Amino acid sequence: MPSTLELYNKLTALPQGKRLFSIAFGQKAPYFSSIHLEVQEMKPHFGQVRIPKRRSVKNHIGTIHAIAACNGLEAAMGLLAEATCPSDMRWLPKGMEVSYLAKSTTALTCTAESTAADWTAGPDVPIKVKAVTTDGTVTVEGTIHLWVTPKR
């Protein structure tokens, strides 16, 4: 079975490939489909998704709900982890620490980043995450901690 990164690379080479991969990714982890995410990029140490501002992700004041933003951050982290984690290891989210810094008034770009050094300090691997509006305002930022251990 191809890895998630291999599937991403194969599909994104096709017309509408990112859209197809986004749908497949949302089906693999069905909760991600609730935010209608669009995968922007997947590569080692980097994952990025876009959350469009739609009624289904809005809160009572008309901005993107903080938990929808966190869902996008976790999806971006998942892309990064799938592209970065060594094939003889497995990863599990262990915790998330985030700060809500501003209202999410537009679509959000959710980004996850790590360094090679982050992965050598395991089993606790910190992944930096942030959500940014179309005008560049950082609305949510924090760290998602992964538990990275050998596969059994």
Side-chain angles (χ1 to χ4, degrees), residues 10 46 50 59 67-68 74 80 91-92 97 101 106 114 121-122 124 128 140:
K10 186 180 228 179
F46 189 81
R50 181 179 177 277
N59 58 23
I67 299 305
E74 189 168 352
L80 175 154
W91 62 272
L92 293 167
E97 301 159 0
L101 306 173
T106 69
S114 68
D124 184 3
K128 296 292 181 202
V140 182

Side-chain angles (χ1 to χ4, degrees), residues 107-141:
L108 291 177
T109 299
C110 298
T111 305
E113 296 183 88
S114 68
T115 66
D118 293 331
W119 288 81
T120 62
D124 184 3
V125 177
I127 308 298
K128 296 292 181 202
V129 293
K130 68 180 176 180
V132 180
T133 60
T134 56
D135 70 0
T137 302
V138 177
T139 63
V140 182
E141 71 178 353

Side-chain angles (χ1 to χ4, degrees), residues 18-128:
K18 281 190 179 180
R19 186 179 71 77
L20 293 171
F21 182 82
S22 297
I23 292 167
F25 187 62
Q27 294 305 306
K28 179 74 174 168
Y31 191 67
F32 290 156
S33 65
S34 70
I35 58 171
H36 312 284
L37 65 81
E38 300 163 4
V39 174
Q40 301 292 299
E41 191 167 355
M42 176 187 190
K43 63 184 180 183
H45 304 290
F46 189 81
Q48 187 174 73
V49 301
R50 181 179 177 277
I51 303 173
K53 186 177 177 188
R54 297 171 56 148
R55 184 179 186 283
S56 61
V57 297
K58 289 182 185 178
N59 58 23
H60 65 288
I61 60 172
T63 61
I64 293 181
H65 195 285
I67 299 305
C70 287
N71 194 359
L73 295 173
E74 189 168 352
M77 174 280 303
L79 292 168
L80 175 154
E82 285 291 308
T84 310
C85 193
S87 61
D88 63 335
M89 304 292 274
R90 67 181 185 138
W91 62 272
L92 293 167
K94 174 174 142 171
M96 177 186 275
E97 301 159 0
V98 293
S99 296
Y100 304 124
L101 306 173
K103 292 178 185 174
S104 298
T105 57
T106 69
L108 291 177
T109 299
C110 298
T111 305
E113 296 183 88
S114 68
T115 66
D118 293 331
W119 288 81
T120 62
D124 184 3
V125 177
I127 308 298
K128 296 292 181 202

